[in-house]
DNA sequence: ACTCTGAATCAAGACGTA
DNA sequence: CTAATTGATTCAGAGT
DNA sequence: TACGTCC
């Protein structure tokens, strides 16, 4: 996911919604955390060896990676001692809306692999090696086991972890979503915390984004905000050439909705990608309807997309409500 | 001149000790 | 049956 | 704060 340039846009256009604070001001708060992303960062960052050698991940005797264990363990301990109660949320199946983007990533991955085999210098080997890292099912299971043993609540999301985190926050089960990914705002998490980390020499303060102030500052409704994000470019759709954050905001402000924006665009100037689905945004409450404005559309894809976005929307709130409640209670006990 | 986009590139944790 | 991340920064070039 | 270590 990731909305291109959203942080910068919020900073420029809705300054009130971002503030910075010390870690200590969050004691007593429950925070939902996207576990997969954390694991990924740990595996990339926690390495041994230094100058002159390609850095290596930590492993056990069988050669299995243990970097993520170190990372999760330390960070969780730190949170607990600081009075912050984490709830780790693990990814479920990714929506197939993403398949296009995923295919691109696969391609880049393969490229990295072949470059790695051809690489001579240590730097290159390291660079391409990192590009190949990924979080496997096993890494997630390791982390879940560890967290359960530590008495820290774990939630298995039906789909994307970010969406589930936002649901937890909206339901009041947790106070905020702790992530580096601005996508959580599209799922209406009331509060979003970034840089919730604990480096000894803490580099930067925690960054707190307030959802309500964000859309108020931009002067948009929730639907318009989601439309803005789609126009800016997210993982689910291609972008329109020539439209970035600034013009996207202007367009949504003046036309009110993405449908009107597309309708009023000069088609000679701006090429709207084929098969652009107006309603198929990642937001839980967005209506998955309305046909595409694209000319020679690929009907097959459009249909399957629609199907899937509906699954995304209906699954999280209901099927997980009980699990959520149980886990939240556990958090209280601890 | 100025603004914006878009492609490419990079970096990514936390501890204890000196 | 398998996949599975992002944001910040910088710079070139197009558009206004 | 810089640096080596975590497996």
């Amino acid at each position: 996911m990731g909305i291109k340039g959203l942080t910068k846009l919020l900073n420029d256009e809705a300054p009130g919604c971002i503030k910075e604070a010390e870690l200590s001001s969050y004691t007593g708060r429950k925070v939902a955390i996207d576990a997969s992303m954390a694991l990924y960062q740990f595996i990339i960052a926690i390495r041994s060896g230094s100058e002159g050698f390609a850095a290596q991940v930590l492993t056990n005797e069988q050669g299995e990676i243990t970097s993520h264990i170190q990372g999760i363990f330390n960070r969780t301990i730190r949170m607990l001692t600081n009075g912050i109660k984490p709830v780790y949320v693990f990814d479920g199946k990714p929506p197939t809306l993403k398949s296009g983007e995923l295919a691109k990533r696969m391609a880049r991955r393969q490229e990295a692999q072949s470059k790695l085999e051809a690489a001579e210098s240590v730097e290159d080997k390291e660079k391409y090696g990192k590009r190949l890292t990924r979080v496997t099912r096993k890494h997630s299971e390791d982390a879940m086991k560890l967290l359960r043993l530590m008495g820290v609540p774990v939630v298995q999301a039906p789909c994307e972890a970010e969406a589930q985190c936002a649901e937890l926050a909206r339901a009041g089960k947790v106070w905020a979503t702790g992530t580096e990914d601005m996508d959580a705002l599209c799922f209406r998490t009331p509060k979003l915390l970034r840089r919730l980390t604990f480096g000894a020499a803490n580099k930067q303060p925690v960054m707190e984004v307030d959802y309500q102030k964000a859309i108020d500052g931009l002067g948009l409704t929730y639907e318009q905000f989601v439309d803005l994000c789609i126009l800016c470019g997210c993982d689910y759709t291609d972008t329109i050439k020539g439209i970035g954050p600034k013009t996207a905001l202007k367009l949504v402000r003046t036309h009110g909705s993405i449908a009107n924006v597309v309708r009023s665009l000069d088609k000679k100037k701006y090429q709207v990608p084929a098969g652009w689905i107006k309603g198929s945004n990642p937001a839980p409450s967005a209506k998955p309807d309305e046909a595409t404005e694209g000319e020679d559309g690929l009907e097959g894809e459009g249909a399957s997309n629609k199907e899937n976005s509906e699954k995304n929307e209906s699954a999280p709130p209901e099927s997980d409500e009980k699990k959520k409640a149980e886990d939240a209670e556990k958090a209280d006990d601890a």
Side-chain angles (χ1 to χ4, degrees):
Chain A
M1 322 104 238
I3 311 303
K4 267 182 294 178
L6 184 55
T7 317
K8 197 167 173 300
L9 192 70
L10 287 177
N11 237 329
D12 296 346
E13 310 286 339
C17 71
I18 299 179
K19 76 175 177 186
E20 300 190 330
E22 293 307 313
L23 270 168
S24 55
S25 51
Y26 299 103
T27 51
R29 300 292 194 192
K30 284 184 232 169
V31 176
I33 292 168
D34 177 354
S36 303
M37 184 147 4
L39 291 183
Y40 188 87
Q41 286 170 338
F42 287 138
I43 292 175
I44 279 195
I46 304 182
R47 291 176 180 241
S48 125
S50 44
E51 299 300 314
F53 298 101
Q56 291 227 269
V57 291
L58 309 182
T59 62
N60 64 13
E61 291 169 335
Q62 282 97 52
E64 296 164 326
I65 296 181
T66 55
S67 292
H68 56 304
I69 306 283
Q70 292 284 325
I72 285 275
F73 186 73
N74 282 329
R75 182 175 289 181
T76 306
I77 295 278
R78 276 319 270 258
M79 284 198 203
L80 293 175
T81 59
N82 277 61
I84 299 173
K85 299 174 183 174
V87 176
Y88 284 91
V89 180
F90 288 82
D91 269 322
K93 294 173 190 171
T96 50
L97 273 176
K98 265 176 151 180
S99 56
E101 184 62 26
L102 292 184
K104 281 184 204 161
R105 285 180 191 164
M106 279 298 283
R108 283 186 14 212
R109 211 183 148 67
Q110 304 252 331
E111 185 191 356
Q113 180 127 32
S114 52
K115 277 191 181 172
L116 174 62
E117 282 158 18
E120 298 284 333
S121 74
V122 170
E123 294 109 27
D124 280 2
K125 278 189 183 173
E126 185 166 338
K127 188 165 73 180
Y128 297 125
K130 279 190 179 179
R131 209 168 289 178
L132 282 177
T133 53
R134 85 184 126 177
V135 177
T136 67
R137 175 69 53 88
K138 181 167 190 316
H139 298 150
S140 294
E141 282 167 2
D142 290 344
M144 289 203 281
K145 189 170 179 185
L146 173 65
L147 291 167
R148 289 209 179 97
L149 289 172
M150 292 173 78
V152 173
V154 165
V155 171
Q156 173 68 60
C159 192
E160 287 191 293
E162 294 296 340
Q164 189 68 37
C165 288
E167 279 300 315
L168 289 169
R170 276 158 51 73
K173 305 289 184 191
V174 300
W175 183 75
T177 300
T179 178
E180 305 305 304
D181 183 355
M182 296 299 282
D183 249 25
L185 281 181
C186 292
F187 297 111
R188 287 178 293 174
T189 189
K191 299 273 188 191
L192 170 54
L193 299 181
R194 291 179 96 185
R195 302 189 214 119
L196 199 57
T197 57
F198 301 87
N202 215 345
K203 305 154 211 170
Q204 298 172 94
V206 179
M207 175 176 150
E208 176 183 329
V209 185
D210 186 298
Y211 162 77
Q212 195 59 46
K213 286 180 186 167
I215 63 168
D216 288 352
L218 293 177
L220 301 179
T221 66
Y222 168 62
E223 283 78 12
Q224 290 172 333
F225 177 63
V226 173
D227 286 354
L228 168 72
C229 292
I230 295 174
L231 282 172
C232 288
C234 64
D235 270 9
Y236 299 90
T237 63
D238 292 325
T239 58
I240 302 177
K241 283 266 186 235
I243 295 188
K246 302 273 188 186
T247 42
L249 178 58
K250 267 182 223 153
L251 287 172
V252 173
R253 269 176 177 165
T254 54
H255 295 105
S257 79
I258 196 170
N260 290 338
V261 168
V262 172
R263 204 170 300 142
S264 63
L265 272 185
D266 184 350
K267 299 288 173 12
K268 286 159 201 162
K269 221 189 247 177
Y270 296 104
Q271 286 256 320
V272 178
W276 235 58
I277 317 272
K278 272 178 284 174
S280 69
N281 53 41
S285 79
K287 27 187 179 162
D289 264 334
E290 301 182 54
T292 167
E293 196 83 4
E295 292 79 41
D296 41 349
L298 318 152
E299 285 99 351
E301 280 188 20
S304 70
N305 283 354
K306 220 182 278 181
E307 245 177 63
N308 245 288
S309 70
E310 273 179 14
K311 272 182 204 161
N312 289 348
E313 288 160 37
S314 54
E318 300 178 64
S319 66
D320 271 286
E321 205 62 52
K322 282 176 190 170
K323 232 189 265 177
K324 273 188 278 181
E326 283 168 23
D327 288 326
E329 277 163 30
K330 271 190 223 161
D332 285 335
D333 297 343

